[in-house]
Every structure is written in C-alpha cells, then in structure tokens.
Amino acid sequence: MELFLSFAGGAAACALVSGWWIRRLQRQLASQPAAPAQDPELLAAHHQLQAQVDLLQHELQQANQQIEQEQQRLPMELQSLEYNAQAKTQTLVDGALTHTNALSASLAELQGISKTFERWHADMSQLVAHNKGMHEKNDEFARIVSQMIIVALNASIEAARAGTTGQGFAVVANEMRTLSVRAETLSKHYRDNLYQNDLIATTVFQDMQAGGKMVINATTGLEITNRKVQAALQA
Amino acid sequence: MSQIPDITDRARASLDRMMVQGLRHGIAGDAPDADIATADLPARSAATRMVVLSIASYTFRIITALHFNESPQLKAHIAQLGQRSPDAMTHQDFIDAVCEAGNMCCGAINRELGAFYNGLGLSTPQILDIRSLPHMQRLGAQHLRHFRIDLAADLRLHASLCVRAYERMDFDWHAQEPAVGAGELELF
C-alpha cells in the first residue's frame, strides 16, 4: 500500500514537472520570432525543441494514464484490505467467544463443588455422631470403673475384718483396686482425647467448608468477569 | 526446619478489636454499654458448651468460640435480642439463636478482614462441649485470646479467638467511629 502511494505520488510529481517543462518550452517557442526559412541553424533548433515538446507531451499523457489506472485500482485494494481485516477480527472474536464459553462451562462445573461440601458435611455429622457414641460408651465405662473402685474398697474392708484368714483375699482386693484406679485414669485420658478429637474434627471440617466457600466466591467473581468479556465480544 | 510465620503486635491487637466489635454486634445487640474486653478464663465457668466458627484464607485460619450454657438469664437475653418471649423459645430455638449470634460475630470479623485479605470463606456454626476448649492451643495457634462479655450484672459470658498463620500477618485495623449527627434542625 505504501509502495503504491509512493509510486502514485512520484508519478504525479513527474507529471507536474513534465507539464511545467512543456509549458516553458512552448513559451520559449512562442516568444521566438518566426524562424526564417533561410537560417538552417535556427530551423534545426526549432525542430529540436518541437521534438522535445512532443516527447514530453507523450510522457505526460502516459503518466496521466497511469495515474488514472492507479486511482481506479486504489479503492478496490482498500476494500479488499478492509474485508481481510474484518474477517481476521471476526475469526479472533469467534475464537475468544469459544474460549469464554468453555471457561463458563468449566466455572459452572466448578460451582458443583458445593455438592462435595454437602457430602463432607454429612460425613462430619456422622463423625460427630460417632464421637458422641464413644463419649457415651466411655462415660458408661467410667461409671463401671467407679463402681469397681468402691467394690474393691469394700472387699479390702471385708478382708481386713476377716483377720489373718482374709490376708490372701486382701492382696487380691488391693490388686483389684489398683487396676480400677488405673482404668479410671485411662478412662479420663480417653475422654480428654475424645474432646480433643471433637475439636480437631470440627475445625478441620470448618476449614475445608470455609475454604470451599472461598473457592466458590472466587469462581463467582471469575464468572462475572467472563460474562463481561462475553458481552464486550458480542457487542 | 520451617520458621513459624509471625503475627505482628498490631495485627494481634487488630484481631482482638475485631473480635470485640464482632461480639458486641453478635451477642450484645450493638449495645454500647456492654463491657467486652480481653481476659483470662476463669478457673470455674458456668458454660457447658461453645459455638465454634472458622474463617479460612489461603494464608491463615481463624477460629472463634462463644461459650454458653442454657441459663434463664442468657435465654432471656437471647429472646430479647430476637424480640420474642423466652417462654415461647424452645431448646432448639435457643441453640439456633446462639449459633446465629456466633455467626454474626464471626461474620463481622470476616467482613472487616476483607479490607486486607482477598478470598475469605466463613464456615457454618458447630456446637461443641466446653471441655474441648483447653485443646485449642494444640491446633497450632499463634494467637489465642479469651474475652469476657458482661451483658448485665448477672450475665457474664466468655469467648475465645484462635489464629493460626501460614504466612506473616501484618495489618492495622481500628473500628470506625459512629457517625455523629451535625445537629440539624428536623422539620416535621
């Protein structure tokens, strides 16, 4: 395109210069007195000048023809370039729209992660219920152990009351009491661990749940931006 | 060995102020006369349970716990906040209302943190036995603070804030002063 414009400009400039030169020569010819037929030198000069004028007129005519041809070709070329540019832009827009549609579908799919959270919630509820059952069983175990301690204590008292004949039984009762105390300590540790377990399970679940909401919020933001891009592309 | 990310003093103070504002909003009904401040936990507390909520971010997690028991005083206070009669409030209504109070408190913190952090998420409330509370430090907390909430002469509650950072936390937050009217002449 630039090449063409340079060429057209050059041709026009050439035509202008040629025109000016022709007019100058014509003025020179007109200003000269009619060549006397008898002066061969003047006559030769006159013929030379006339030949130059004819040549330049011919060149000017050719240049004008070229300019006319270029003037006809230029709008057609411009139209062709515009058409190509539009086609390329449309291809790009179509491609971008395809990508935004794919992104939209992926984001909608990602929003389905909320179903996963519901599943986690159900699992969490099950875990809490399970822990509650373990708390109840441990409480029952603690009650049994407390009862065992009392029974062992009573056995020790009865053994002491029996005197020397109850010495063997006293050893057994004492051992039973020691075991019951150990069982009680173990039960308390177990209960403590269950409460710790409740806290860990709950906070881990909440972290996952809140993290999931964070993801959903982020995808919602992306979806809004994507819709804006789609609207701008379709405009 | 990886270094534990720190929480700066001003970020700790900001989190504490956010918690106080959240508690005032959630459980005190924005009452300006409610006395809420950081405090040590009492050796003996009447609380039997706590409502627990979490805020999650890529770089930290925050756990809040509002301690409570189903006392007639708290029930009356909760009923008053909800503008209903305590007699008409069932056990489940009470639990739901306490969960909502905890949710409003944690939600207020979440909202204020939004000014400094993107991508925050808030969990739903869960009720736990108060005997789980002593284990909070074992969650890897870098900032664990307890709060005293005096709602009336015969109604004191406690709450806890537990923060675990995975990256350095540094921000400065102060509650906005309530807008004071310019004393315009009202025309009726």
Side-chain angles (χ1 to χ4, degrees), chain A residues 137-147 184 187 191:
Chain A
K137 285 185 180 72
N138 189 53
D139 288 347
E140 179 63 20
F141 179 64
R143 277 192 291 275
I144 292 168
V145 167
S146 296
Q147 195 67 28
E184 188 183 40
S187 170
R191 188 183 63 185

Side-chain angles (χ1 to χ4, degrees), chain A residues 4-230:
Chain A
F4 165 73
L5 286 171
S6 304
F7 174 77
C14 185
L16 283 169
V17 171
S18 302
W20 173 77
W21 184 245
I22 290 165
R23 278 194 296 278
R24 190 164 172 268
L25 286 173
Q26 281 175 334
R27 277 200 301 276
Q28 280 180 355
L29 282 171
S31 64
Q32 284 179 358
Q38 65 274 22
D39 190 344
E41 279 186 13
L42 280 174
L43 196 61
H46 177 79
H47 284 309
Q48 196 180 354
L49 280 172
Q50 186 60 49
Q52 277 183 3
V53 166
D54 290 343
L55 181 68
L56 285 170
Q57 271 184 334
H58 178 68
E59 283 178 359
L60 178 62
Q61 202 175 359
Q62 278 185 332
N64 280 336
Q65 277 176 355
Q66 275 185 343
I67 288 168
E68 277 174 21
Q69 282 172 1
E70 292 303 327
Q71 277 176 340
Q72 284 173 354
R73 196 174 63 83
L74 183 65
M76 288 168 69
E77 191 166 330
L78 271 172
Q79 204 174 2
S80 169
L81 284 170
E82 276 175 15
Y83 177 78
N84 286 341
Q86 275 179 356
K88 276 182 185 172
T89 308
Q90 191 58 47
T91 308
L92 285 171
V93 167
D94 289 347
L97 272 173
T98 308
H99 290 311
T100 54
N101 287 337
L103 181 61
S104 193
S106 299
L107 287 171
E109 208 170 311
L110 196 58
Q111 292 277 354
I113 200 170
S114 58
K115 285 176 186 164
T116 313
F117 302 144
E118 285 167 18
R119 196 170 67 229
W120 287 345
H121 193 271
D123 289 348
M124 172 68 195
S125 301
Q126 206 177 345
L127 187 64
V128 167
H130 181 68
N131 272 8
K132 198 179 170 190
M134 285 166 74
H135 274 294
E136 285 167 2
K137 285 185 180 72
N138 189 53
D139 288 347
E140 179 63 20
F141 179 64
R143 277 192 291 275
I144 292 168
V145 167
S146 296
Q147 195 67 28
M148 278 170 66
I149 290 171
I150 293 166
V151 170
L153 184 66
N154 285 342
S156 297
I157 293 165
E158 289 303 319
R161 205 177 279 169
T164 49
T165 52
Q167 277 179 346
F169 185 64
V171 173
V172 175
N174 231 7
E175 193 59 29
M176 281 299 293
R177 196 177 165 202
T178 308
L179 286 171
S180 302
V181 170
R182 280 175 61 191
E184 188 183 40
T185 308
L186 191 66
S187 170
K188 280 179 183 167
H189 276 300
Y190 188 60
R191 188 183 63 185
D192 206 36
N193 280 340
L194 282 175
Y195 285 123
Q196 186 179 358
N197 203 30
D198 285 343
L199 185 68
I200 292 169
T202 300
T203 53
V204 166
F205 163 72
Q206 286 191 335
D207 196 31
M208 291 194 297
Q209 188 192 38
K213 284 187 183 175
M214 188 168 69
V215 172
I216 287 176
N217 291 343
T219 52
T220 305
L222 282 172
E223 179 59 33
I224 291 167
T225 308
N226 195 39
R227 275 189 212 149
K228 284 179 184 169
V229 172
Q230 278 179 326

